Amino acid sequence: MNRIAATLALLIALTPALAVAQDGWLYENPPKAGETELSLYGGLLLPNEKLELFDASLDKERQGFKPYESIAPTFGLRVGHYPW
């Protein structure tokens, strides 16, 4: 129930911002028919040495703290095509 209430509160708080966003760049420059876009992105995850990403079940074998071994880079390519 708390999660639903928090989601509703966030939506209510963002409603004015969403209304203003309709006057933004995307509405002034919408994609055109047949347009294709190509973009690159990259990022870097620098995890804390004590980060845990799961809920350990201590009654199972080999459970508990499992540290990250290294830095986790992310690179990618995005292609978008707008046929109509």
Side-chain angles (χ1 to χ4, degrees):
M1 187 66 171
N2 288 339
R3 188 176 253 176
I4 294 171
T7 303
L8 287 174
L10 182 62
L11 287 174
I12 291 168
L14 290 178
T15 300
L18 294 173
V20 173
Q22 292 180 356
D23 296 332
W25 181 87
L26 183 60
Y27 288 93
E28 294 173 11
N29 303 294
K32 296 169 182 53
E35 188 173 61
T36 301
E37 297 178 347
L38 178 67
S39 60
L40 298 172
Y41 66 87
L44 193 60
L45 175 64
L46 302 170
N48 186 303
E49 61 186 34
K50 297 181 181 180
L51 178 66
E52 289 188 57
L53 298 176
F54 68 98
D55 188 20
S57 297
L58 300 177
D59 58 335
K60 293 182 180 178
E61 195 174 318
R62 300 184 63 115
Q63 290 287 315
F65 178 69
K66 295 181 182 179
Y68 269 101
E69 294 289 328
S70 63
I71 297 173
T74 302
F75 302 101
L77 174 69
R78 180 188 169 276
V79 178
H81 180 68
Y82 306 97
W84 38 138

